[in-house]
Amino acid sequence: MNMKPKVAIIFTGGTISMTVDEKIGAAIPTLTGNQILSMVSNIDKLAEIETIEYSELPGPHMTIDRLLEIRKIINDLVLRKDISGVIITHGTDNLEETAYFLDLTMQTSKPVVMVGAMRNSSELGYDGPSNLAAAVCTAISPKARDKGVLVVLNNEVNIAREVTKTNTLSLNTFQSPYGPIGSIDTNDLIIHRNIVSKQYIDTDIVERKVYLIKSCFDMDDTLINCVVASGAKGIVIEGMGRGNIPPKAVDAIKEALSLGVVVVIVSRCPSGRVMESYGYKGGGKDLVDMGVILGGDLTGQKARIKLMVALGKTNDQNIIREIFEDDIYS
């Protein structure tokens, strides 16, 4: 008799666990993992499911401390011979940050899959059950091994390094600038493209005092000076275009660098990487010459996660620069 693969599902909350509370007229977490699973038809024919009720949290309530706890649970699960893969349900607002944190700080060949929902269970077209079914199909597939952390919604499979939430409402909100690496078709994972490599940063420490600042028209030095004064260890700036900032903010960056604060520049554009293309004051070349680190094509929120992890490992700016430069997209 063929044994069904076993998948562990860690339920943390998010819209997938929510119903509308009629008293307040808004969605709140209410469903347990088993209640959600009861809506996934025929899943028991594909896999044996082990549930872990971690929490019923909205995505914005997730914290670094909780991420470290969840990572510990995952690491313990993947060491078990009977577990084929692990799934984590999560709010979609910051699902990509949790996924990227786990991707950077974990090493396992077994599939680790993040999943959520865009509609709560009180809405017509609740997508939680179908997304969870697709996540299970991904987690049991041998083709999902050695891919790092995967994000599965709307029958599309994206890698944590690339994917981002692009729309506040659409079911296909999670998109990669390079397209999904796979999709679920008739309960099977179809791989459309492979990944070249996955970056791993070996640390159990995370630096929390890392701030994200978005550049804008006529920006001055106020925000940068504020976070430096508050004891920032790192700053990620979403620059304009190829990674440029207004000149009135430049001196504040110089001051931050002189105090040992690590500064990373990415672009506020939805896609494309930053480069040393412009040499004027505040241009990418000017910033790099000052000591700013280029963040490749990472979004601001993911560059912040990466800098938090990198600073947890080391304070050496040369090593941190290498960590960012070693990314295959840089």
Side-chain angles (χ1 to χ4, degrees):
M1 183 177 69
N2 290 330
M3 294 287 290
K4 288 181 292 188
K6 188 172 188 178
V7 174
I9 306 179
I10 305 168
F11 290 92
T12 75
T15 298
I16 195 171
S17 71
M18 294 189 187
T19 55
V20 171
D21 185 325
E22 294 184 0
K23 291 181 180 178
I24 61 174
I28 58 173
T30 56
L31 299 177
T32 66
N34 285 327
Q35 286 175 314
I36 299 168
L37 273 172
S38 70
M39 304 180 212
V40 186
S41 303
N42 299 318
I43 199 66
D44 57 319
K45 295 179 180 179
L46 289 178
E48 182 182 349
I49 306 296
E50 178 176 325
T51 61
I52 296 97
E53 300 279 0
Y54 176 79
S55 64
E56 293 180 5
L57 291 167
H61 290 199
M62 193 58 68
T63 65
I64 286 295
D65 288 332
R66 288 170 174 151
L67 285 192
L68 291 170
E69 290 175 354
I70 291 167
R71 187 184 68 167
K72 174 67 166 59
I73 296 170
I74 299 169
N75 279 329
D76 289 344
L77 287 167
V78 296
L79 289 176
R80 287 170 43 186
K81 291 183 179 179
D82 63 323
I83 296 293
S84 297
V86 179
I87 296 168
I88 307 97
T89 70
H90 197 286
T92 59
D93 282 353
N94 53 356
L95 184 150
E96 65 197 81
E97 289 163 273
T98 290
Y100 189 48
F101 172 80
L102 295 174
D103 191 64
L104 281 175
T105 62
M106 289 182 56
Q107 273 193 318
T108 177
S109 293
K110 293 182 179 181
V112 176
V113 180
M114 299 282 301
V115 67
M118 290 302 294
R119 296 175 183 168
N120 68 70
S121 64
S122 298
E123 293 181 274
L124 291 174
Y126 173 47
D127 56 325
S130 62
N131 288 342
L132 189 54
V136 171
C137 292
T138 303
I140 64 175
S141 174
K143 289 178 280 188
R145 292 176 65 87
D146 297 305
K147 298 288 192 297
V149 176
L150 300 172
V151 174
V152 178
L153 282 92
N154 200 43
N155 283 325
E156 293 183 333
V157 182
N158 286 278
I159 61 174
R161 167 59 179 76
E162 298 174 356
V163 75
T164 194
K165 186 175 181 178
T166 63
N167 188 281
T168 61
L169 180 66
S170 298
L171 298 185
N172 66 339
T173 181
F174 282 93
Q175 298 288 321
S176 163
Y178 313 108
I181 67 158
S183 58
I184 299 299
D185 186 344
T186 322
N187 301 337
D188 188 28
L189 172 61
I190 309 299
I191 295 295
H192 305 314
R193 62 183 177 89
N194 221 322
I195 60 173
V196 177
S197 65
K198 186 189 91 67
Q199 196 168 27
Y200 170 63
I201 303 174
D202 184 11
T203 181
D204 292 319
I205 302 170
V206 181
E207 175 54 62
R208 297 156 196 264
K209 294 187 78 65
V210 176
Y211 298 91
L212 174 60
I213 296 174
K214 192 183 191 79
S215 66
C216 54
F217 175 79
D218 203 31
M219 172 186 181
D220 63 16
D221 58 3
T222 304
L223 292 178
I224 298 171
N225 286 336
C226 180
V227 297
V228 171
S230 73
K233 302 298 182 183
I235 303 172
V236 174
I237 299 175
E238 288 188 7
M240 300 174 178
R242 284 290 242 178
N244 314 304
I245 64 165
K248 287 191 284 187
V250 171
D251 288 344
I253 292 177
K254 287 181 181 177
E255 177 66 14
L257 292 167
S258 73
L259 295 171
V261 180
V262 180
V263 181
V264 174
I265 188 88
V266 294
S267 180
R268 68 181 192 177
C269 296
S271 61
R273 62 179 181 152
V274 289
M275 290 289 288
E276 303 172 57
S277 300
Y278 297 96
Y280 55 77
K281 184 175 182 179
K285 179 66 164 61
D286 182 48
L287 297 176
V288 169
D289 288 346
M290 287 163 42
V292 173
I293 296 170
L294 296 178
D297 70 344
L298 284 172
T299 60
Q301 58 267 30
K302 286 187 183 175
R304 175 177 174 264
I305 291 290
K306 188 170 190 174
L307 186 53
M308 292 171 77
V309 173
L311 280 166
K313 181 177 178 62
T314 180
N315 291 317
D316 189 320
Q317 292 208 22
N318 290 324
I319 296 176
I320 294 172
R321 186 182 304 277
E322 289 174 3
I323 287 172
F324 276 87
E325 290 176 350
D326 285 346
D327 192 308
I328 62 169
Y329 299 88
S330 294

